[in-house]
Amino acid sequence: MSAGPPLHRPRRLRTTPAMRELVRDVRLHPANLVWPTFVVPGEDRAEPVASLPGVQRYSVDRLLPELARAHAAGVRGVMLFGVVGDGAKDPLGSAASDPDGPVPRALREARAAFGDDLVLMTDVCLCGYTDHGHCGVLAPPRPGGAVARVANDATLPRLAEMAVRHAEAGADVVAPSDMMDGRVAALRAGLDAAGFEDTAVLSYAVKYASAFYGPFRDAAGSAPQGGHDHHAAPDDRRTYQMDPAASRAADVEVALDAAEGADLVMVKPAGPYLDVLRRVREATSLPVAAYQVSGEYAMLEAAVAAGVLARVPAVTESLLAMRRAGADLILSYHAVAAAEGGWGA
Ligand code: PBG
């Protein structure tokens, strides 16, 4: 029996660029992009990060023109990570709440330069400021155990203090990335008590213990002491960040953070966790952010450098995947270049 000519021809909607654009259901727009960037102390510093070609760490004076570039390209958000020298680190991560640290300084200057036109976000976590490199303060070993643990409840006031310092300096959004239980409630209470009831909390609600953070830890100087060998804990973050094989844990984390008052929630990493992103999109009505992390950036750039992928279409497709999976906003080290180039817009 012959089938005859096809009745349905989906190709009709792909005939011309205008037609394809007309029927798209997701788009990339610069206003949905957030540019994560690293701030160092001092003056006139713009240091390349070896593991992230194209990414630099800036002192505040050198950061300002980069923020102007992001703003001119239509990017509406920046996420600031502070990086301090080893001499400034201690077991409690005290420098995290220094009002004259690189992040508060950058916030004050960015607020003065851009007013309300740029959403200023900050990463709230101790790992860049502790000498042991963990995201919280340490507790004694379990009875009979040999290794120190990361203390949950003792870390919470440290994080709340850091968030308040950022709010005082002008942060619109504070983003806890430490994965301590109860941190959203602790930040909310701390911010409200200090009079910052309008400062929003973007929770890194669903943050997996991922190998894809490796290049970031070079950039931020925040690798946990002992490297990545999980047989020699406390050497990694698996007792607080989520197990990559646990998908329902995402539901638990999002529900808790929403109940604690998170204004936005994040899924991180993004590309290897698109299923989780979709799941979170369906589980909450809060805005959902996706973080295309350092290892995702490094993989794409390595493939481009090797001549096996074309940067613009490959990066565009990777960002579109996040929008398709349900992300409202996307944090990406490619944000400024993508916005400037109009990639996929
Ligand atoms: C701090 C933090 C990390 C990232 C964002 N905030 C590193 C980590 O948890 O080890 C990773 C970002 C990236 O890889 O681009 N806790």
Side-chain angles (χ1 to χ4, degrees), residues 5 167 263 286:
D263 300 285
L286 294 174

Side-chain angles (χ1 to χ4, degrees), residues 3-66:
L7 176 59
H8 298 287
R9 295 184 186 270
R11 287 184 56 191
R12 288 182 194 120
L13 299 184
R14 302 178 200 133
T15 318
T16 65
M19 181 70 91
R20 292 195 293 274
E21 216 176 328
L22 188 72
V23 299
R24 278 180 192 155
D25 58 48
V26 294
R27 283 173 209 281
L28 289 176
H29 191 279
N32 296 122
L33 297 176
V34 177
W35 183 51
T37 190
F38 303 96
V39 202
V40 294
E43 303 292 324
D44 197 25
R45 293 172 70 186
E47 309 165 346
V49 177
S51 55
L52 293 171
V55 171
Q56 306 196 68
R57 319 195 295 192
Y58 299 101
S59 55
V60 174
D61 57 320
R62 297 289 295 270
L63 176 67
L64 267 275
E66 300 302 323

Side-chain angles (χ1 to χ4, degrees), residues 77-105:
V78 293
M79 175 71 78
L80 302 176
F81 293 92
V83 185
V84 299
D86 286 347
K89 298 183 183 184
D90 66 19
L92 300 178
S94 307
S97 32
D98 175 2
D100 288 314
V103 169
R105 285 190 50 218

Side-chain angles (χ1 to χ4, degrees), residues 157-172:
R158 303 280 313 108
L159 297 167
E161 187 185 353
M162 182 178 183
V164 169
R165 291 289 94 78
H166 290 177
E168 283 166 356
D172 297 297

Side-chain angles (χ1 to χ4, degrees), residues 81 123 125 127 135 177-178 204 207 212-214 216-217 222 237 241 268 291-295 333:
F81 293 92
D123 189 80
C125 184
C127 66
C135 299
S177 68
D178 53 282
Y204 285 72
K207 177 170 176 177
F212 290 89
Y213 306 150
F216 171 95
R217 293 177 188 172
S222 65
R237 312 206 199 283
Q241 297 180 354
K268 173 183 175 208
Y291 195 149
Q292 184 177 46
V293 300
S294 56
Y333 300 95

